[in-house]
Amino acid sequence: MNTLKINNLELTYKNGHQAIRNISLEIKNGMFGLLGPNGAGKSSLMKTIVGLQKPSSGEILFNDADIVNNPDDIKKHLGFLPQDFGVYPKVNAYDLLNHIAILKGVNNKVERQKQIQYLLEKVNLWDFKNKEVHTFSGGMKQRFGVAQALLGSPKIIIVDEPTAGLDPEERNRFNALLSDISNEVIVILSTHLVEDVKNLCSEMTIMNKGRILKTGKPKELIEDLEAQIWSKFIDNDELETYQSNLKVISQQLIERQLQITVCSPTHLAGFSPVEPILEHVYFNVLSQNS
């Protein structure tokens, strides 16, 4: 069992922006969802975990090794799929994986060949091994990104906004691949898409403005809102009044009519009860900490 412990982590950039504010987390094998809006500090946290930047204070321990002062202790066990996975032009999939494997210290040629073939087959790209990676579709590039992240048998894999820009079919295929690899390792999924966390993660945290707002199991967080979510169709000019008097956590147009969703522990006359879902947890937590 692998364990990542983050204790009282802080990061302030030279321009004075505080990107991480006193974060503490413990993450074990499986899929862990880091959910938050754009600008919440998710990418700053990911880059700090993988050793691309040093925190202002606090500690990060991976399997009890201090990786703030010794970042190589995580880098040799790390697979990282950043938000924008850049590739060299004019290099095919097989040769690029071979190059990355060498950089990761997979020095035995036979072992390298076995790993590359296994991973390209696993991400369903073996038939495209001689195709230049820069010509791949968005979904193929993401699957190639997973293959390179898995080189060297990592113990912790970090994926940053992995399904942004993918169509629904590609997203489902990609999510199934992530789920498959998360049994024996830690996979941290950083995203602003509630759906990805709902489909994949057994543990999650909600983050905004550099802080951890809520952590737990998605199912339990949803159960905490049982009998507290209500909805109603209203006229557009009524919205401000409802926002002033009730805790409106979301609003949306349905067939051109405005529907508001409200969190309240007591029954609201004129409102219909709604079975809570993870989106309600997310919007409720953000509205409490806006």
Side-chain angles (χ1 to χ4, degrees):
M1 175 67 73
N2 300 294
T3 305
L4 179 72
K5 292 181 182 176
I6 301 169
N7 298 318
N8 307 117
L9 199 70
E10 302 254 350
L11 174 67
T12 302
Y13 290 118
K14 287 181 179 177
N15 64 5
H17 173 64
Q18 192 171 2
I20 300 173
R21 300 168 182 263
N22 195 28
I23 283 180
S24 296
L25 284 171
E26 183 168 330
I27 303 171
K28 296 183 183 293
N29 283 10
M31 188 82 74
F32 185 91
L34 180 60
L35 181 63
N38 292 328
K42 303 186 302 297
S43 292
S44 293
L45 179 57
M46 298 297 96
K47 288 174 183 173
T48 308
I49 291 171
V50 303
L52 292 176
Q53 57 194 12
K54 196 163 184 175
S56 307
S57 61
E59 66 175 1
I60 308 173
L61 304 173
F62 181 64
N63 293 343
D64 295 324
D66 176 354
I67 60 175
V68 170
N69 294 312
N70 302 292
D72 287 346
D73 284 340
I74 194 169
K75 285 179 180 176
K76 62 189 176 188
H77 299 300
L78 176 71
F80 185 36
L81 176 54
Q83 190 169 347
D84 297 306
F85 179 68
V87 295
Y88 301 110
K90 307 295 183 187
V91 181
N92 68 40
Y94 188 97
D95 289 346
L96 185 50
L97 283 185
N98 189 60
H99 174 68
I100 294 169
I102 292 170
L103 293 177
K104 284 193 171 187
V106 186
N107 296 318
N108 184 290
K109 186 177 180 181
V110 175
E111 173 60 26
R112 235 178 17 249
Q113 290 171 337
K114 280 183 183 174
Q115 272 199 41
I116 292 168
Q117 179 169 349
Y118 168 74
L119 290 171
L120 283 174
E121 287 174 348
K122 190 176 183 74
V123 301
N124 203 23
L125 288 176
W126 178 247
D127 291 343
F128 303 95
K129 63 182 181 294
N130 296 318
K131 187 176 169 70
E132 293 175 5
V133 179
H134 77 100
T135 66
F136 282 2
S137 70
M140 291 169 72
K141 278 182 181 171
Q142 288 296 71
R143 283 185 279 135
F144 179 87
V146 171
Q148 67 79 28
L150 288 171
L151 282 168
S153 303
K155 295 178 180 178
I156 178 169
I157 298 166
I158 293 176
V159 285
D160 192 5
E161 299 287 359
T163 62
L166 300 188
D167 65 38
E169 185 180 347
E170 286 176 327
R171 180 181 293 162
N172 288 341
R173 189 185 299 127
F174 184 78
N175 284 347
L177 178 59
L178 283 182
S179 180
D180 182 43
I181 63 179
S182 68
N183 294 322
E184 303 299 325
V185 299
I186 293 172
V187 179
I188 301 177
L189 173 68
S190 170
T191 183
H192 69 282
L193 299 172
V194 179
E195 186 181 352
D196 286 347
V197 174
K198 176 177 66 180
N199 293 341
L200 291 168
C201 301
S202 53
E203 296 278 343
M204 65 174 287
T205 195
I206 298 172
M207 182 176 183
N208 197 22
K209 298 176 182 174
R211 299 183 192 279
I212 297 296
L213 305 180
K214 194 94 171 175
T215 299
K217 298 181 184 299
K219 185 179 178 184
E220 292 174 0
L221 295 177
I222 291 169
E223 287 171 354
D224 288 344
L225 286 183
E226 200 67 51
Q228 295 186 51
I229 304 298
W230 313 87
S231 74
K232 183 182 182 180
F233 285 100
I234 64 168
D235 293 331
N236 286 7
D237 57 8
E238 297 178 298
L239 178 59
E240 203 170 306
T241 302
Y242 279 103
Q243 287 176 325
S244 298
N245 296 299
L246 295 170
K247 187 179 177 184
V248 178
I249 61 172
S250 67
Q251 61 206 53
Q252 61 179 328
L253 283 172
I254 299 178
E255 295 180 2
R256 299 178 66 186
Q257 191 169 3
L258 184 62
Q259 183 189 50
I260 57 171
T261 302
V262 171
C263 183
S264 170
T266 57
H267 178 263
L268 296 173
F271 281 77
S272 301
V274 177
E275 195 64 32
I277 56 176
L278 196 58
E279 279 88 348
H280 297 141
V281 173
Y282 180 56
F283 290 131
N284 184 46
V285 168
L286 290 183
S287 71
Q288 287 174 335
N289 296 273
S290 59

